[in-house]
Amino acid sequence: MEVSHSVKERTIAENSLVILLQGLHGHVTTVDLRDESTATGRVTNVDAFMNMRLAEVTFTDRRGAVSRLDELFVTGRNVRYVHIPDEVDIRATIERQLQAIHRVRYFGGRDKGRKEFPRAKHK
Amino acid sequence: GGAMSFLKRFPPPAEGVRHQQPDTEAVLAGRTLGAGTLYIAESRLSWLENSGVGFSLDYPTISLHAVSRDLNAYPWEHLYVMVNAKFEEEETKEGPMAEGEEEEDSDDDVEPIAEFRFVPSDKSALEAMFSAMCECQALHPDPDDEDSDNDYEGEEYDVEAHELEQGDIPTFYTYEEGLSHLTAEGQATLERLEGMLAQSVSSQYNMAGVRTEDSIREFEDGMEVDIAPVVAGQFEDAEVDH
């Protein structure tokens, strides 16, 4: 549920379904890759470009050979399909990620605009 | 064996080297290329054999990389790198290659795949190597990304500042960014519309192209604006007072 430190990446995420994938942190997920291989592992990071980082991966290469990989980074371009785990509530995940982005955006108490938290101290 | 044809002599990268791992064996499709140093630099991934020849890989061609500690799959812990490119190998003087013969797959006519393994003598370095590669890969987002909504050329889009100014109107481009995407014709249209909007009562927004209900109503009245005077230049043959 981490939110990127980059304004640009938050904006991209907010406007695409990458935001759903970012909500999969910690979930064991299967990713089908462009070359027909598949990787099943725990999602540790997804950035705005859909680059995905997985841990404790069972990797099946395009010929069917199975191996374990401690950590895997696959570029967004080579992700063909991400299997959303059954236990994930898609809508709730998206809403939660949007809220996380908005909390980051408005944290610190600007003078105008929405505020999720009351101002902690006076200036 | 003899030299692989894609190996060249070049100086090690000097800038942006996030990680450097000496005493690292490079293996391509099951054949060792020798021992050398792996340079994980921001511009490209390079490996140089101790003799001074080596090769580089551009990050956009790298499909994935991984840490493999599965000794059943491969007998040494290593950094696995899959590349979307073909690498010529040694001429088969010694006969057909026994193992790891990926490049000649007929399925790979459409998409060439080469598999490299970088085996450091220091296994504990694999995490750092992996992380350095992740960082460098992130510096090279896919230029062919079909989703044009991700086109953020120009100044970084400050959503926070933008939303605070615009209130609840959903916006995407800042004014400056939107301008840069217009053709000359679009620019002319924009200027004309802006001239009209400047005259209108509903001046709470300053971003052209965003139509509120007020502006739509004005347009649909056959260009005769009841609320505000018509702007000169709107219709060349129209008589206007302002």
Side-chain angles (χ1 to χ4, degrees), chain A residues 10-11 63 70-71 73 106, chain B residues 67 102 127 159-160 163:
Chain A
R10 285 202 297 273
T11 308
R63 282 181 242 88
D70 273 30
E71 288 206 78
F73 178 101
Y106 297 111
Chain B
V67 172
E102 291 89 356
E127 278 305 311
V159 173
E160 286 85 343
E163 282 199 352

Side-chain angles (χ1 to χ4, degrees), chain A residues 51-86:
Chain A
N51 296 323
M52 297 185 70
R53 193 162 158 166
L54 306 175
E56 294 141 35
V57 176
T58 299
F59 185 73
T60 304
D61 75 13
R62 63 193 183 283
R63 282 181 242 88
V66 181
S67 63
R68 299 269 308 170
L69 299 169
D70 273 30
E71 288 206 78
L72 167 72
F73 178 101
V74 56
T75 54
R77 177 170 202 227
N78 289 282
V79 172
R80 171 173 289 154
Y81 193 76
V82 177
H83 297 253
I84 309 292
D86 289 339

Side-chain angles (χ1 to χ4, degrees), chain B residues 39-175:
Chain B
Y39 299 89
I40 303 174
E42 292 168 3
S43 54
R44 60 184 57 83
L45 181 71
S46 302
W47 178 85
L48 280 171
E49 200 194 358
N50 294 332
S51 66
V53 293
F55 62 94
S56 291
L57 303 174
D58 288 326
Y59 290 107
T61 65
I62 298 177
S63 310
L64 61 88
H65 63 276
V67 172
S68 171
R69 299 190 204 270
D70 182 352
L71 303 182
N72 291 322
Y74 190 80
W76 295 278
E77 298 179 27
H78 63 279
L79 179 73
Y80 172 80
V81 178
M82 183 192 288
V83 181
N84 202 173
K86 251 183 136 58
F87 285 83
E88 287 181 28
E89 293 176 50
E90 192 175 329
E91 294 303 311
T92 53
K93 291 179 190 169
E94 293 127 337
M97 291 174 50
E99 54 171 298
E101 242 272 14
E102 291 89 356
E103 269 107 72
E104 303 308 317
D105 275 358
S106 57
D107 304 87
D108 289 352
D109 283 343
V110 174
E111 179 158 307
I113 290 180
E115 294 173 300
F116 287 91
R117 300 177 199 270
F118 297 102
V119 191
S121 60
D122 178 6
K123 311 300 174 192
S124 67
L126 281 170
E127 278 305 311
M129 292 161 70
F130 176 82
S131 293
M133 280 207 61
C134 290
E135 289 165 16
C136 293
Q137 276 281 32
L139 300 173
H140 298 259
D142 185 6
D144 294 333
D145 194 341
E146 291 146 18
D147 184 359
S148 60
D149 283 351
N150 285 355
D151 188 7
Y152 287 90
E153 291 168 15
E155 281 186 30
E156 187 162 293
Y157 178 59
D158 188 345
V159 173
E160 286 85 343
H162 200 69
E163 282 199 352
L164 289 175
E165 291 161 24
Q166 296 297 327
D168 287 333
I169 297 175
T171 56
F172 198 72
Y173 285 126
T174 62
Y175 183 77

